[in-house]
Amino acid sequence: MYYVYVIKSRFFNFYYKGFCSNLEKRILEHNNKMTKSNKHYAPFDLVYFEECSSLQEAIKKEKYWKTASGRKYLKNKIS
């Protein structure tokens, strides 16, 4: 099982989209500043996630979420 997720910084208007196989562990890594790309925005709250049955599906969904139509889809889900 894989997860595609969106986290939001508690102090900045910064959203991060990613995928993983262990969601709890990955959120802890983000909050413990173990991710170089967004460690300056920690701590984070998980705002949305979806389960995927395969790695390929998770990668495809994350790429979609990073497009304009994907961001619009997420905005409707998160709001």
Side-chain angles (χ1 to χ4, degrees):
M1 185 70 59
Y2 291 89
Y3 301 91
V4 185
Y5 62 92
V6 180
I7 54 177
K8 183 183 185 300
S9 172
R10 290 184 192 158
F11 302 117
F12 300 95
N13 189 27
F14 177 79
Y15 290 86
Y16 179 84
K17 301 158 196 88
F19 68 92
C20 65
S21 60
N22 185 334
L23 190 56
E24 277 187 45
K25 179 182 173 189
R26 189 65 176 137
I27 300 303
L28 286 174
E29 289 173 354
H30 284 296
N31 283 329
N32 290 326
K33 301 181 180 182
M34 297 171 71
T35 307
K36 286 184 180 183
S37 65
N38 60 19
K39 68 181 180 180
H40 301 291
Y41 299 102
F44 294 95
D45 291 316
L46 179 66
V47 293
Y48 186 72
F49 74 94
E50 290 183 10
E51 292 181 2
C52 299
S53 57
S54 69
L55 177 60
Q56 293 78 16
E57 181 185 351
I59 291 170
K60 186 176 179 181
K61 193 169 286 193
E62 181 201 17
K63 285 183 179 182
Y64 168 69
W65 285 1
K66 291 180 177 182
T67 66
S69 58
R71 288 190 301 272
K72 185 176 180 181
Y73 168 83
L74 286 172
K75 185 176 179 181
N76 289 331
K77 289 287 189 179
I78 294 171
S79 296

